[in-house]
Amino acid sequence: MKENAFAQELYRLSKLTGIKNAIFASAVQYDVSYISKWMGGRSLPSDKNIDMIANSLSTCIMMSTDEREKERLIKEYQCETISKLQETIRISLLNAYHKTKDPESSLIDQNLEHIVSHCYSHIDENIIAIIDIFSMGYKERLLMGGICNGHFSFCEDYSEIEYDLIIDLNRISEEVYDAIYLIHMMTGLSAFNIRLYNSIEAAGKFIFLKNDTEAVTGILLPGERRLIGACYERSREEIGYLRQSVDKLRYQDNIVFQKSSIYEMVNSLLYERSLISINLRWVLGHATEMILPDDLFDSLLKRIEGVDTAELKRLHLIMQRVVREQGMSVMIYESVFSEMVVSGELDFFNHKIFLTQSEKLSFLDYFKELISSDCLMNLKLIAGYLNADFKYVTNPCIFLSDMVSYVRLENGRYQNNIMIIKDQSAKNIFKAFYSKIWNERDDIIIDDRKEIYKMVAHYRASVYFTEQINS
C-alpha cells in the first residue's frame, strides 16, 4: 500500500494518548499482533468488523485517558466538547480506513452549508439520500429542504428526476417549527419526483447518492454545522455498497406521504371521506374550493373543463353542511384575505383561477356571513406567520381528521401538491402541531369572532379601495 491512512491514524492516537498496543488489543478482543500489523501498515481489519473495531477503539480511548489528555484530543481533533469527542474519533478511524481501502475517495470541506450546495449543484441524475435532517442547524436544514433566503430554490421542473429521501421523524423536537418545516420541505422539493421515507436508521447519517456516479457521506451530530468525516466518493464499488445499504430502507410501509391529485382523491372517494370524518381540523393557508358560497362555486365550476360537474356539486353540498353543522375547527391565515384582495387567486380543485372584483366580494361576504351567523364552525385567525423562516413562502393547507389526513402544498404549479399522510409518526406530529397552535399560540391567534369579522370587513372594503386606485 502506498499510503495507509488507517495505520497513520491509529499510530497518531497511540502517541497522543500513550495507550499501549495491549490495551487496544484487549478492547477489540484481538491478539496484540494484529494491532502491531494495523499500526505498522502491514494489514487492515476486515470490512465486516471495522465498525465494531472503530467503536471499541474510540470507547477504549475515552475510558483510558484522563481529563488533561482528553483536552489535548479535543484541540487536536478540533472538537467542541468532550461529549462529542468519542464520536469524532470513531468517525476519524472509519474515514481513514475507507481512505486506505479506496484511494479514489477524498475528504472534503466539512462546512455543511457548502456540502448541501454541492449536492444540489448540476442535478441531472436520480437521487437517493438518507439524511438525519432534524439534526442539522436551521440554515443548513432549510437549504436541504430547497429553501434559500426565505424562498424556494428549485424553480425549474425536475419531475423526471426521482428523489428518494429517508429521514428520522423521531428526531423532531420542536412541534410547531419542525411540522411547518416538513411541509415546506416537501413544497421546496416538489419540483422533483420526491418520495419521503421515515426510518430510525437515518439517525446521525448523511448519505447523498447521485445515481451510481457520485456520493457524499459523513456523520451528523445534533446542532453541528459541519459534516463529521465528510467524504466524496466516485468509486462505483463503494457507491454500489452505499446504495445497497440505503435501498433496504425504501419500502412502502415506511413512506411518509402518498402523492395524489385532487381528482384521484375524488375518484377514490378519499376526498369525501376527508369531509365526513370526525374530528375535522383544517389549516387554510390559501383560498380553495372548500369554503365558497353556492353562486360563486357554480360560477367557477363553469370555467373548468373535463370534470364531473355533478359529483363536484355534490361534494360542495357536503362541504356546506360540514362547515355549518359539524362543529369543525378551522384556522385560517390572515394572508388568505389579503391575497384575495391583491391577486384574487383561488385554488379550485387544483385549477388556478383569478376572481373578478365582484367574485372577491362574494368570497369575503360569505366569510362575514359565516362568522356572524349561528354557524357551528370553530374559527380562529392566524395573524402574521408562524415562523420568520417561512414568511416569504405561501402557506399550505392542512386537512386533518381521524379517517383521512392530507396536505395541499402551495408550490405555484398546482401539480404534485397533494400529500396524503400515511406514516403514523407524521400523523402524530401534525396532530401535536395543530393542538399547540390552537391552544397555546396567543401571540398570533385571534379567536374573538368580532375581531375576525372586523378584519374580513376591512379586506372587503380594500377591494373597493384597490379597484378605485387601479382604475
Side-chain angles (χ1 to χ4, degrees), residues 111-134:
N111 182 293
L112 196 49
E113 181 181 344
H114 297 166
I115 289 170
V116 173
S117 297
H118 168 79
C119 288
Y120 283 149
S121 63
H122 309 297
I123 297 174
D124 54 9
E125 298 177 283
N126 292 340
I127 298 168
I128 304 174
I130 175 168
I131 297 174
D132 188 5
I133 209 161
F134 292 104

Side-chain angles (χ1 to χ4, degrees), residues 25 60 82 204 254 285-286 312 321 348 405 456:
C60 172
I82 288 179
N254 69 346
H286 54 275
L312 297 188
R321 296 287 296 272
F348 190 76
S405 295
V456 177

Side-chain angles (χ1 to χ4, degrees), residues 202-244:
K205 293 185 175 66
F206 187 105
I207 302 173
F208 191 94
L209 305 172
K210 288 184 181 178
N211 218 348
D212 295 322
T213 61
E214 180 181 323
V216 178
T217 64
I219 296 295
L220 286 166
L221 299 180
E224 282 279 3
R225 304 194 69 176
R226 61 195 180 109
L227 188 63
I228 307 300
C231 191
Y232 178 70
E233 298 280 358
R234 280 194 177 275
S235 162
R236 296 186 70 86
E237 181 181 355
E238 182 64 22
I239 292 172
Y241 170 77
L242 290 168
R243 184 178 180 118
Q244 286 180 7

